[in-house]
Amino acid sequence: MLRNGFHAQLGERVRSSERVRDEALQVASSLFYDGIAHFDGGDDDAALARFEQSLAINQSCTKQPTTAPYALCCNNIAAVHARRGKPLQATVWYERALEALTAKEVCVCEC
């Protein structure tokens, strides 16, 4: 009986952890799209902050940096740097996006 109780508690913790992860990825997605709105509106500081926050959440929730959200964040961070006239920083971020997209296994979902 003790063993079944332990497994039930462990299962609930896993489900709870998955819910927290899913909620974090939803926040990351919201931040990403908010960053696009700021970028389109010309507010590079706010856009960069949102893209960096989204990237950090995606990195903390995934085991591999080869997800489409990771690549999109890197691409958009590069676009901000490019628009700011910082080609070296933009290149670094574009290369990260390209590396993620050309990896052998790219996860196109938020996994």
Side-chain angles (χ1 to χ4, degrees):
M1 190 68 166
L2 179 61
R3 184 171 251 172
N4 288 339
F6 171 75
H7 288 294
Q9 288 177 354
L10 182 60
E12 181 53 38
R13 286 185 183 171
V14 168
R15 285 188 295 280
S16 176
S17 176
E18 289 171 354
R19 282 192 297 270
V20 168
R21 182 183 152 280
D22 290 345
E23 289 172 7
L25 289 172
Q26 287 176 355
V27 169
S29 180
S30 294
L31 286 165
F32 177 80
Y33 287 109
D34 192 37
I36 290 173
H38 284 289
F39 184 82
D40 289 346
D43 188 351
D44 289 347
D45 290 335
L48 184 59
R50 299 315 186 282
F51 295 141
E52 289 173 340
Q53 290 169 334
S54 179
L55 180 66
I57 293 169
N58 275 296
Q59 286 178 309
S60 71
C61 292
T62 59
K63 295 179 178 132
Q64 58 187 21
T66 55
T67 61
Y70 173 88
L72 290 169
C73 286
C74 291
N75 180 75
N76 289 4
I77 290 170
V80 172
H81 288 302
R83 186 156 75 182
R84 287 180 164 180
K86 298 179 179 179
L88 293 178
Q89 288 174 315
T91 301
V92 168
W93 285 100
Y94 281 131
E95 287 175 351
R96 288 180 187 176
L98 183 61
E99 287 171 10
L101 290 175
T102 57
K104 286 186 178 182
E105 294 182 21
V106 177
C107 180
V108 294
C109 61
E110 295 180 14
C111 47

